[in-house]
Amino acid sequence: MHEIDLAQDIVNLALEQASRLRATRVLAVNLRVGQLAGVEAGALHAAYREASARTVLAGSRLAIIDVPLVVWCAVCLAEVTPVRINRLRCPRCDTAAGEIRRGRELEIAALEVDA
Ligand SMILES: [Zn+2]
């Protein structure tokens, strides 16, 4: 279950940010998770609770912000959202999608802290 490793990474990053902010307590960690990131939210929440115990993150909320998949269609010259994430084609013209513009994110957007 890779969520355990992910949770540990998130906790490490959040602890670094918290210490830079000199926070004594973290209320929430807002995490941007792309549709293609392959994260199972329930498993990540559970792993996060474990990994954050006995740190300033203990008891904080892991708020997952879903980032929808967006690809570039070279025919429509537009950013479009495929109907299904396992079928990366333009919903308008059915051309195979080019570049993935959004949807692979797995990053901390913000920390809510008690200073
Ligand atoms: Zn198109």
Side-chain angles (χ1 to χ4, degrees):
M1 198 170 81
H2 79 140
E3 278 80 3
I4 290 174
D5 294 329
L6 284 177
Q8 195 57 60
D9 289 347
I10 293 161
V11 164
N12 291 342
L13 285 171
L15 285 174
E16 267 174 41
Q17 292 192 13
S19 103
R20 266 204 305 277
L21 297 166
R22 298 181 193 287
T24 53
R25 200 162 83 88
V26 174
L27 306 175
V29 173
N30 299 337
L31 187 73
R32 287 162 53 80
V33 178
Q35 269 190 315
L36 288 187
V39 171
E40 208 276 285
L44 186 61
H45 277 117
Y48 178 80
R49 257 193 311 278
E50 282 288 310
S52 63
R54 291 173 298 280
T55 72
V56 296
L57 300 172
S60 65
R61 192 164 44 87
L62 183 66
I64 293 179
I65 304 159
D66 291 315
V67 181
L69 173 64
V70 172
V71 299
W72 175 253
C73 177
V75 175
C76 299
L77 298 178
E79 289 187 339
V80 295
T81 296
V83 179
R84 297 208 312 265
I85 63 169
N86 56 0
R87 190 169 177 276
L88 298 183
R89 304 187 78 86
C90 175
R92 300 184 199 167
C93 69
D94 207 39
T95 302
E99 189 192 337
I100 293 172
R101 290 278 171 93
R102 285 192 292 285
R104 285 182 165 139
E105 294 83 349
L106 190 64
E107 62 200 16
I108 294 176
L111 238 54
E112 293 171 29
V113 301
D114 252 357

